[in-house]
C-alpha cells in the first residue's frame, strides 16, 4: 500500500511547497471541472458555438483568475458583482468593436479605468485581469449586435456555474502567510518587554534580557523575509492584507524601539515602577494580538480591554514623570540624573504607542472581512469616518501623481492594449484576440521585466505548440480523446504558473487552447502557427510600450516615492510639533495638523512602489536590506509624528499655567526644524542620487536649555512642574529618536545610490 500512496503523497507535498495553501490548485481544480462541462453543454447539447465560447472563457476568468476573500456570503456577492461587470463589459466591447477607431478609443478608456480603480479597491484590483478579459474577448472579435444576446447568454451560464462552484466546490479557507510570523514577533516582543519590565522593577539578570531580545530580532527578520517572498504582491491587497502589511512595518519599528530601550542602553540605576507597569501592560496587549491573529474565532473584546488598561498605565506614568520633574524651587538640579529617569519613562511611553498602533491594526485586520459589501467593494477601512465612496476617491486621488507606480502601470496597460487592438486590424491577423491577450500577459512595470516575460511567453507558446502538435498527431480527429484531455489540460494550466513558472504556464495554456479549438473547429497545424504568430505580435507591442513608458519601472519610482514620503512625513512631524506648541498656550484652540493626509498618501504610494519593486524580476539596483531600512525609516518618521499628535490630543491639562513659555517653545521648534531639514536633505539625495547629508550630532546643550526653559516657564503657582512640561520633554525625545535613526538611514541611502 505504501508504494501506491507514496507518489500521491510526494505530489501533494510538492504542491504544498510550491503552492502555499493550495490556492492555485483549488482554483485550477474548480475550473477544470466547470469550464469543460459548460463548453460541452453549450457546444454539444445547445449547438451554440458563440454561447460555448463565452461560457468557456467566462468560467475560466471567473474561477481561475480571481479568488475573493471573506466569508462565504461575501465571496458569493463578489462573484455576482463580477458577473454583472462581465455582462456590462461584454456589451461595451461588442458595441465598441463595430469599428476599429471606437475599439481603440474604448480600449484606452476601459483598460485605464479597470486598472486604475484597483488603487482604490482591493476587490477591483484582484478582479482586474478577469474584467479586462471580458472586454478584450468581445472587442477583439467583432460581431453584429444581433449576436450580443448569445454572448450574454454564455456569460450568464458561466456566472451561474461560477457562483455554485465557489459556494460548494472546495470553499476557500486560506490563511495569509504573514499571520503566523507576525504572531510570532508579537509573542517574542511580549517576552522581551516583560523581561525588561522585570529588570527595571527588580533588577533581573541582563543576560536573560539579551537572550529574549535576540529572539525578537530573529522573529522580526523571519517576518521580513516572509513579506519579501509573499506571492500576492503587487496585485490587489485586501484591506485585511494591507493591515498586515502595515503590521510588518510597525513590528519592525517596535523591534528597533525595544533594542534602543533595552536595559543595556539605559542607566543601570534607573528604577521606575510606573514604566515597568506600562511595559507589563504592553506585553499583555502583544500576547493578545498574537492570539487574535492565530485564532479567527476569538473576538477582540479582551484586546480592547487590555489596550484600555495600557492607556491608563500611560496616564499614571505621565503623572509619575511630572512628579520627578525639577520644580521652580530647585536651585541647581542634577540634570544628568534626571535625564536617566526621564529616558526610562519616555521609552515606556514610546513602546506603549507602538503597541497600541499594532493592536489597532490587528483589530482592523480582524474587522476587514466583516464589513458590508459596499465597504468591501470600495475599500473602506473599518472605523473610517468617511463614507465608502469618499474613502475610495481619497485613495485613488493619492495615486494621481506623476510618479505613482499604479498610475504608470494603468497608463502603460491602456496604451499597450489599445495599440494591440489597432495593430490587429492593420495587420489583418485572423485571431486578434490572441494578439491582445499576448500583450496583456507580458506587460510588466519595466522594460526589462516585459522583455523577460515576452521571451518566456514566446518560449512557452512554442513549447506548448510543439506538445499540442504532437498530441494532434497521435490523436488525429478523435474528439472523444480530446474531450477527455481537456479538463486535464485546464487543471495543469491552472497550477503550473504558480507552482513552476510563467513560461510553463504559457505552454500549458497553449496546449489547452489547441485542444479547445480543435474540439470546436478542427484546424490542426494552422491554429498552432497562428497562435505563435499572434502571441509574438502581442509580446512585441508590450515590449515597445515598456521601452517608451517608464522603462525603469518601480526601480526609479521607488526612489521618488521614498523621497516624497520622507519630505511629506518630515513636514507632518513639524506640523505636529506646531500643534503641540499651540496646545501649550492658554486660550488657544489648535487646529488639526496639516499634511497628515498628504503624508499618508505618500506612504501608500511608497507601499505600492516597494511591493512592485519586490515583485519585479531581475537584478535589484540596491541591496534589499538597505531598501527595507529606508522604507522602515519612513514608518518611523510618521509614527513619531503620530505619537506627538496623540500625546497632546489624548491628555488634557486642566491647570494650564499662565506663565511665559516662549523659551521652551523656541527650543522645541528649533529641534523640530533641524530634524526636518535633515530629512529633507535625505529626500533630495534619494531623488537625485546626490550627497547624503551627515547625521546631526547629539546636542546635550540644547536639551539642557530645554530642561531649563521647562523648569523656569512651565510650573504652577506653587513652583511645581505641570503635565505640559513632561509632554514637551517627551516631544523632544521623539525628535531625538529620529536623530538617532539618521546614521543607519544615511548608510543605507549611500549604498543605494
Amino acid at each position: 500500500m505504501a508504494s501506491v500512496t507514496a507518489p500521491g503523497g510526494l505530489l501533494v507535498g510538492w504542491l504544498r511547497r510550491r503552492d502555499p495553501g493550495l490556492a492555485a490548485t483549488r482554483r485550477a481544480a474548480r475550473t477544470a471541472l466547470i469550464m469543460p462541462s459548460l463548453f460541452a453543454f453549450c457546444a454539444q447539447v445547445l449547438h451554440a458555438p458563440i454561447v460555448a465560447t463565452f461560457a468557456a472563457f467566462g468560467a475560466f476568468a471567473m474561477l481561475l483568475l480571481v479568488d475573493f476573500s471573506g466569508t462565504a456570503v461575501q465571496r458569493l456577492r463578489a462573484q455576482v458583482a463580477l458577473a454583472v461587470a462581465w455582462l456590462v463589459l461584454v456589451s461595451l466591447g461588442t458595441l465598441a468593436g463595430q469599428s476599429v477607431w471606437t475599439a481603440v478609443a474604448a480600449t484606452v478608456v476601459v483598460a485605464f479605468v479597470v486598472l486604475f480603480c484597483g488603487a482604490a479597491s482591493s476587490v477591483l484590483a484582484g478582479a482586474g485581469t478577469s474584467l479586462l478579459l471580458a472586454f478584450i474577448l468581445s472587442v477583439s472579435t467583432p460581431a453584429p449586435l444581433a449576436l450580443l444576446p448569445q454572448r450574454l447568454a454564455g456569460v450568464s451560464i458561466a456566472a451561474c456555474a461560477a457562483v455554485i462552484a465557489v459556494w460548494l466546490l472546495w470553499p476557500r479557507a486560506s490563511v495569509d502567510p504573514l499571520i503566523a510570523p507576525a504572531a510570532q514577533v508579537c509573542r517574542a516582543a511580549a517576552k522581551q518587554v516583560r523581561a525588561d519590565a522585570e529588570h527595571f522593577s527588580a533588577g533581573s539578570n541582563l543576560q536573560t534580557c539579551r537572550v529574549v531580545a535576540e529572539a525578537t530580532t530573529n522573529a522580526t527578520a523571519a517576518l521580513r523575509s516572509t513579506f519579501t517572498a509573499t506571492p500576492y504582491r503587487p496585485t490587489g491587497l485586501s484591506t485585511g492584507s494591507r493591515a498586515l502589511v502595515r503590521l510588518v512595518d510597525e513590528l519592525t519599528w517596535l523591534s528597533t524601539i525595544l533594542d534602543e530601550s533595552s536595559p543595556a542602553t539605559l542607566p543601570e540605576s534607573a528604577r521606575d515602577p510606573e514604566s515597568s507597569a506600562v511595559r507589563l501592560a504592553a506585553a499583555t496587549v502583544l500576547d493578545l494580538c498574537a492570539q487574535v491573529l492565530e485564532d479567527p474565532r476569538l473576538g477582540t473584546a479582551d484586546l480592547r480591554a487590555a489596550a484600555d488598561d495600557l492607556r491608563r498605565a500611560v496616564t499614571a506614568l505621565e503623572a509619575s514623570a511630572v512628579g520627578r520633574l525639577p520644580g521652580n524651587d530647585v536651585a541647581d538640579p542634577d540634570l544628568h540624573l534626571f535625564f536617566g529617569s526621564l529616558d526610562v519613562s519616555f521609552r515606556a511611553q514610546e513602546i506603549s504607542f507602538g503597541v497600541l498602533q499594532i493592536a489597532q491594526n490587528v483589530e482592523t485586520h480582524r474587522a476587514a472581512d466583516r464589513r458590508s459589501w459596499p465597504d468591501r467593494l470600495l475599500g473602506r477601512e473599518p472605523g473610517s469616518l468617511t463614507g465608502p465612496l469618499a474613502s475610495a476617491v481619497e485613495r485613488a486621488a493619492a495615486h494621481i501623481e506623476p510618479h505613482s507606480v499604479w498610475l504608470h502601470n494603468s497608463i502603460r496597460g491602456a496604451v499597450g492594449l489599445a495599440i494591440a487592438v489597432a495593430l490587429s486590424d492593420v495587420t489583418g491577423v485572423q485571431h486578434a484576440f490572441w494578439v491582445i491577450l499576448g500583450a496583456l500577459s507580458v506587460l510588466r512595470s519595466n522594460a526589462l521585466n516585459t522583455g523577460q516575460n515576452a521571451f518566456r511567453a514566446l518560449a512557452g507558446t512554442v513549447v506548448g505548440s510543439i506538445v499540442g502538435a504532437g498530441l494532434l498527431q497521435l490523436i488525429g480527429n478523435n474528439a472523444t480523446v480530446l474531450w477527455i484531455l481537456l479538463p486535464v489540460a485546464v487543471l495543469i494550466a491552472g497550477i503550473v504558473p504558480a507552482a513552476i513558472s510563467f513560461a510553463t504556464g504559457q505552454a500549458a495554456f497553449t496546449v489547452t487552447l489547441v485542444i479547445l479549438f480543435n474540439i470546436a473547429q478542427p484546424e490542426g497545424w494552422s491554429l498552432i502557427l497562428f497562435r505563435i504568430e499572434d502571441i509574438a505580435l502581442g509580446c512585441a507591442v508590450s515590449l515597445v510600450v515598456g521601452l517608451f513608458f517608464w522603462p525603469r519601472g518601480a526601480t526609479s519610482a521607488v526612489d521618488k516615492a521614498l523621497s516624497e514620503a520622507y519630505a511629506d512625513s518630515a513636514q507632518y512631524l513639524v506640523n505636529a510639533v506646531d500643534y503641540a506648541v499651540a496646545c501649550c498656550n492658554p486660550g488657544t484652540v489648535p487646529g488639526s495638523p496639516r499634511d497628515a493626509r498628504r503624508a499618508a498618501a505618500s506612504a501608500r504610494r511608497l507601499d505600492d512602489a516597494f511591493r512592485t519593486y519586490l515583485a519585479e524580476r531581475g537584478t535589484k539596483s540596491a541591496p534589499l536590506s538597505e531598501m527595507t531600512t529606508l522604507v522602515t525609516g519612513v514608518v518611523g518618521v510618521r509614527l513619531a509624528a503620530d505619537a506627538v499628535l496623540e500625546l497632546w490630543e489624548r491628555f488634557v491639562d486642566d491647570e494650564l499655567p499662565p506663565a511665559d513659555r516662549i523659551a521652551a517653545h523656541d527650543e522645541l521648534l528649533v529641534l523640530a526644524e533641524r530634524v526636518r531639514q535633515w530629512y529633507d536633505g535625505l529626500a533630495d539625495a534619494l531623488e537625485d542620487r546626490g550627497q547624503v547629508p551627515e547625521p546631526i550630532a547629539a546636542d546635550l546643550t540644547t536639551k539642557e536649555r530645554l530642561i531649563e526653559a521647562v523648569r523656569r516657564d512651565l510650573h504652577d503657582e506653587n513652583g511645581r512642574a505641570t503635565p505640559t512640561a513632561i509632554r514637551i520633554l517627551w516631544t523632544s525625545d521623539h525628535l531625538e529618536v529620529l536623530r538617532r535613526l539618521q546614521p543607519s538611514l544615511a548608510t543605507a541611502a549611500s549604498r543605494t545610490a
Side-chain angles (χ1 to χ4, degrees), residues 253 562-571 573-574 630 632-634 636-638 640 671-686 693-694 696 734-746:
W253 182 244
L562 274 169
S563 174
E564 289 181 344
Y566 271 115
D568 292 342
S569 298
Q571 186 59 51
L573 174 70
V574 170
L630 292 172
T632 305
V634 172
V637 177
R638 283 193 64 215
L671 289 173
E673 185 60 26
R674 289 179 65 198
V675 170
R676 185 194 66 79
Q677 289 178 0
W678 189 89
Y679 281 98
D680 279 348
L682 175 64
D684 293 339
L686 289 169
E694 289 293 327
I696 301 173
H734 282 296
L735 297 174
E736 175 65 12
V737 169
L738 297 183
R739 185 201 66 77
R740 289 199 296 268
L741 183 63
Q742 293 169 5
S744 62
L745 296 179

Side-chain angles (χ1 to χ4, degrees), residues 549-599:
F549 288 83
W550 302 284
R552 292 184 60 201
T555 301
S556 60
V558 74
D559 293 336
K560 179 62 179 178
L562 274 169
S563 174
E564 289 181 344
Y566 271 115
D568 292 342
S569 298
Q571 186 59 51
Y572 170 41
L573 174 70
V574 170
N575 291 336
V577 174
D578 288 340
Y579 177 90
V581 169
C583 288
C584 295
N585 294 321
T588 300
V589 180
S592 299
R594 304 182 305 276
D595 292 330
R597 289 190 175 183
R598 181 174 179 178

Side-chain angles (χ1 to χ4, degrees), residues 523-547:
E523 297 185 38
W525 277 95
S526 61
L527 172 68
I528 296 173
L529 294 176
F530 282 132
R531 167 74 174 156
I532 297 175
E533 175 191 11
D534 297 341
I535 286 292
L537 194 57
C539 291
V541 169
S542 293
L543 184 57
V544 171
V545 171
L547 288 172

Side-chain angles (χ1 to χ4, degrees), residues 364 367 371 375 380-386:
T364 299
R371 293 169 296 165
D375 285 354
R380 181 172 181 253
E381 292 196 359
S384 175
L385 298 179
T386 58

Side-chain angles (χ1 to χ4, degrees), residues 211-558:
V211 170
V212 294
E214 184 177 358
T216 303
T217 301
N218 293 337
T220 304
L223 173 62
R224 296 295 319 185
S225 177
T226 302
F227 169 71
T228 56
T230 301
Y232 55 51
R233 292 181 326 270
T235 58
L237 289 178
S238 66
T239 297
S241 295
R242 279 197 178 273
L244 284 176
V245 170
R246 290 196 299 268
L247 195 62
V248 173
D249 292 331
E250 290 168 357
L251 287 170
T252 303
W253 182 244
L254 178 64
S255 178
T256 302
I257 292 173
L258 293 179
D259 286 341
E260 294 185 351
S261 62
S262 65
T265 62
L266 295 175
E268 180 66 28
S269 59
R271 293 290 182 269
D272 185 1
E274 287 76 16
S275 293
S276 296
V278 168
R279 290 173 185 259
L280 290 173
T284 300
V285 173
L286 288 170
D287 279 333
L288 287 171
C289 285
Q291 294 177 24
V292 171
L293 285 172
E294 291 176 332
D295 190 349
R297 297 169 299 179
L298 287 180
T300 58
D302 290 343
L303 178 59
R304 288 195 296 270
D308 290 339
D309 291 340
L310 177 55
R311 294 185 182 95
R312 285 189 287 270
V314 174
T315 302
L317 173 68
E318 181 191 18
S320 173
V322 171
R324 291 193 300 274
L325 192 67
N328 194 40
D329 56 342
V330 180
D332 188 19
D334 187 344
L335 295 179
H336 293 283
L337 180 62
F338 172 70
F339 284 165
S341 175
L342 182 64
D343 203 17
V344 173
S345 61
F346 164 71
R347 288 299 182 178
Q349 186 269 340
E350 185 184 27
I351 290 170
S352 71
F353 178 77
V355 170
L356 288 171
Q357 291 294 106
I358 290 169
Q360 180 179 342
N361 263 328
V362 170
E363 282 199 71
T364 299
H365 167 71
R366 174 55 60 82
D369 287 338
R370 301 175 181 173
R371 293 169 296 165
S372 65
W373 168 240
D375 285 354
R376 286 173 56 82
L377 179 63
L378 296 175
R380 181 172 181 253
E381 292 196 359
S384 175
L385 298 179
T386 58
L389 184 59
S391 297
V393 170
E394 181 180 339
R395 278 188 304 278
H399 289 278
I400 305 179
E401 292 284 343
H403 304 286
S404 168
V405 173
W406 206 292
L407 179 65
H408 292 181
N409 290 341
S410 300
I411 295 175
R412 183 189 294 108
V415 172
L417 294 177
I419 292 176
V421 170
L423 194 61
S424 300
D425 181 78
V426 171
T427 56
V429 296
Q430 295 186 24
H431 300 83
F433 171 67
W434 305 122
V435 178
I436 306 172
L437 190 63
L440 176 65
S441 65
V442 301
L443 272 173
R444 290 298 184 268
S445 82
N446 63 33
L448 175 62
N449 275 342
T450 298
Q452 290 175 339
N453 281 280
F455 174 78
R456 293 185 178 96
L458 286 175
T461 301
V462 171
V463 172
S465 298
I466 294 173
V467 174
L471 285 175
L472 293 181
Q473 187 68 26
L474 291 173
I475 297 170
N477 295 323
N478 193 326
T480 302
V481 177
L482 289 175
W483 278 111
I484 294 173
L485 290 177
L486 181 58
V488 178
V490 173
L491 178 65
I492 295 174
I495 294 175
V496 295
I500 301 179
S501 68
F502 171 73
T504 309
Q506 283 291 109
F509 186 53
T510 300
V511 173
T512 302
L513 294 175
V514 168
I515 295 173
L516 183 69
F517 281 95
N518 272 279
I519 290 174
Q521 186 178 357
E523 297 185 38
W525 277 95
S526 61
L527 172 68
I528 296 173
L529 294 176
F530 282 132
R531 167 74 174 156
I532 297 175
E533 175 191 11
D534 297 341
I535 286 292
L537 194 57
C539 291
V541 169
S542 293
L543 184 57
V544 171
V545 171
L547 288 172
F548 281 94
F549 288 83
W550 302 284
R552 292 184 60 201
T555 301
S556 60
V558 74

